[in-house]
Amino acid sequence: MSQDKQPLKQALKNHYFNWSLTDEQVQQLQLKLDANAESEINTNETKEQPIFSRSKYLWLSSMAASLMIFFILFGKPQSPELVTYAYSDIKKDAIFHNGLDKTISEWLGVKNIPPFPKGFNIEMSKFCQLKQHPATHIRVAGITQGTAHFFFHQTNSDLTPKMSRGFENDMNWRVIKLHEDLSVLVIYSQDMREQAIQHILDGMLPEINV
Amino acid sequence: MFNKDELDKFYRYAISLSKNGDLAYDLLQSAIERYLRKAGDSIGNPNAYLRMVIRNLFIDHQRRNKIVPMISIENNEILDSELHLIEPIDDRFMDDILMDQQEIELLTKSLAPDESELLYLWAVEEYSTSEIAVITKQPKGTVLSKLHRLKIRIRQQVSETTLSINET
């Protein structure tokens, strides 16, 4: 702690000058500024297409039932810190509705992540910080109901396979490792069907067994 | 369009309102998105526009989260006829108040967002009271009054802290 006392004005200046954007944050903002002024807003028509196969549905139902039994038997595990940070980000970003931002779209392209399947409306997309690590937050509305949040982030070694899914604050969450240094944390409301999430993941990450 | 120094400046302004680095960054990011959407409409003063958007987004955020209003509850109304009673706010205003960084940290945390914003604009950005009045959409008398009340409160706070340190 510094005991150096200064006149209020100077002390306030020093206090605020301690706050600066990180290089990564500046880079993200510059990317945005350099991009086309118009943010893209996803206005995809919600044309229905066959999404769910009955066998997959049955498989998932039995999986969900197994998970429920697991939770009943062993109690609810505590969510990892990363998930807690993501929940607070969801709350913070609730006011934003910017659709699919051009820089995010480009970022997905750079990371070889295919676009979200048609019919799902991207409500919001932005770069954010989870546990002070850069992440990309995309909020997607279900075709008929529910909301899902996708947080693409650097693969976190704190998340062991046992901690790859959970339930908190009336929402389910899952963590899927895309490759060595990129994972996605999916958080979705209870009224968002599990199959819809699976469909998005299948569409976006075809080469990954999720 | 905006260089790092300017982005830092907006970020600090957002921190003066939100007192939270993550939220400040979100506000800045969203403000830039709005700016880009509006950019075609020939914005006269991009800096002023961006600052205004950050401010409005923060107020929206508070409303949405049902947080106490941004405006402090003190009555800061002042009559034009009383303006001459107030000492001039110049470079030496509040110079008699000495604080270290820890005290400043406590002070900024204890202030309402509008007070914190006011101090930031005055001390860090070095805007005149007339300019602050325009930025914050308040009469100049209110700005003057707020600064004086703040001075009294801060001085009181500092002397209480000093007293408690001496007692221990």
Side-chain angles (χ1 to χ4, degrees):
Chain A
M1 179 190 87
S2 166
Q3 291 299 324
D4 297 336
K5 291 197 184 254
Q6 295 173 312
L8 180 74
K9 198 170 185 176
Q10 188 55 47
L12 273 169
K13 275 185 184 160
N14 292 344
H15 167 74
Y16 279 105
F17 285 141
N18 284 334
W19 288 95
S20 290
L21 293 163
T22 63
D23 289 344
E24 238 158 344
Q25 287 174 326
V26 173
Q27 212 177 349
Q28 285 172 353
L29 294 176
Q30 292 290 3
L31 259 175
K32 245 181 223 301
L33 288 165
D34 294 341
N36 195 330
E38 283 298 318
S39 291
E40 284 178 13
I41 298 185
N42 189 330
T43 52
N44 287 333
E45 290 299 314
T46 55
K47 298 280 180 207
E48 288 296 335
Q49 52 179 352
I51 298 173
F52 315 115
S53 73
R54 193 174 172 79
S55 60
K56 190 175 267 183
Y57 177 79
L58 287 170
W59 179 82
L60 280 164
S61 302
S62 51
M63 176 120 179
S66 313
L67 272 171
M68 273 177 69
I69 293 166
F70 176 83
F71 281 124
I72 290 165
L73 290 176
F74 300 104
K76 185 186 145 201
Q78 196 171 3
S79 298
E81 222 182 344
L82 185 89
V83 177
T84 314
Y85 277 90
Y87 274 105
S88 82
D89 208 65
I90 288 171
K91 204 175 160 191
K92 245 174 18 194
D93 291 343
I95 56 170
F96 303 123
H97 294 82
N98 66 329
L100 178 61
D101 188 79
K102 186 163 184 170
T103 49
I104 303 287
S105 174
E106 284 168 357
W107 182 88
L108 290 169
V110 169
K111 297 287 177 189
N112 288 323
I113 299 169
F116 280 74
K118 281 190 177 173
F120 291 94
N121 186 32
I122 297 183
E123 294 184 336
M124 191 269 330
S125 58
K126 69 195 307 183
F127 295 114
C128 64
Q129 300 276 315
L130 289 185
K131 260 183 101 180
Q132 291 172 349
H133 294 296
T136 305
H137 178 185
I138 298 177
R139 187 174 72 231
V140 179
I143 292 175
T144 52
Q145 58 183 30
T147 311
H149 299 261
F150 292 79
F151 288 90
F152 294 93
H153 61 280
Q154 233 174 16
T155 299
N156 189 324
S157 55
D158 298 347
L159 293 168
T160 60
K162 277 185 186 171
M163 297 163 77
S164 64
R165 61 166 67 222
F167 180 80
E168 194 177 310
N169 288 354
D170 293 331
M171 292 176 101
N172 300 294
W173 61 264
R174 293 174 66 177
V175 176
I176 296 133
K177 190 172 169 182
L178 305 184
H179 49 75
E180 222 28 67
D181 58 353
L182 188 70
S183 295
V184 61
L185 162 65
V186 190
I187 298 180
Y188 50 101
S189 58
Q190 277 181 294
D191 55 352
M192 184 87 176
R193 288 179 299 178
E194 184 86 22
Q195 298 93 320
I197 296 295
Q198 193 62 43
H199 174 67
I200 295 175
L201 292 172
D202 286 346
M204 289 181 73
L205 318 161
E207 78 283 10
I208 298 187
N209 181 17
V210 296
Chain B
M1 216 177 287
F2 297 108
N3 59 32
K4 184 182 184 314
D5 288 346
E6 286 168 323
L7 291 173
D8 272 338
K9 211 156 90 172
F10 293 125
Y11 179 57
R12 287 172 193 139
Y13 174 63
I15 282 175
S16 78
L17 293 166
S18 65
K19 301 163 192 178
N20 177 309
D22 286 346
L23 179 55
Y25 180 62
D26 284 346
L27 291 170
L28 174 56
Q29 204 181 158
S30 302
I32 285 176
E33 280 163 10
R34 283 203 188 183
Y35 170 81
L36 289 173
R37 282 203 291 272
K38 262 271 187 188
D41 302 347
S42 64
I43 295 166
N45 184 342
N47 286 9
Y49 178 81
L50 209 61
R51 192 173 46 231
M52 182 192 74
V53 175
I54 291 172
R55 192 169 199 271
N56 292 344
L57 282 171
F58 175 71
I59 293 170
D60 282 351
H61 175 267
Q62 284 208 311
R63 280 192 195 131
R64 190 166 283 257
N65 289 290
K66 298 187 176 111
I67 300 172
V68 273
M70 172 164 168
I71 310 300
S72 56
I73 51 169
E74 283 187 61
N75 177 14
N76 292 295
E77 289 306 315
I78 191 165
L79 300 171
D80 284 345
S81 57
E82 293 172 324
L83 280 176
H84 69 281
L85 300 173
I86 288 179
E87 67 175 285
I89 293 177
D90 53 22
D91 276 351
R92 306 201 55 78
F93 181 71
M94 295 210 223
D95 257 10
D96 56 325
I97 301 174
L98 300 176
M99 296 185 103
D100 61 35
Q101 282 306 303
Q102 199 188 24
E103 288 168 332
I104 283 286
E105 192 115 351
L106 288 173
L107 170 70
T108 50
K109 278 182 187 160
S110 70
L111 296 174
D114 65 324
E115 296 170 331
S116 173
E117 177 193 32
L118 176 60
L119 269 188
Y120 173 82
L121 292 172
W122 169 73
V124 184
E125 297 283 342
E126 301 201 331
Y127 281 115
S128 69
T129 47
S130 308
E131 288 169 321
I132 295 173
V134 173
I135 293 168
T136 57
K137 296 172 190 157
Q138 299 173 93
K140 185 181 171 186
T142 306
V143 173
L144 288 169
S145 167
K146 277 185 174 180
L147 272 173
H148 278 275
R149 283 173 198 272
L150 267 174
K151 180 179 179 177
I152 294 165
R153 251 179 55 203
I154 295 169
R155 192 181 278 151
Q156 200 175 352
Q157 196 172 319
V158 170
S159 59
E160 278 168 11
T161 315
T162 315
L163 263 177
S164 68
I165 289 171
N166 290 342
E167 279 169 11
T168 52

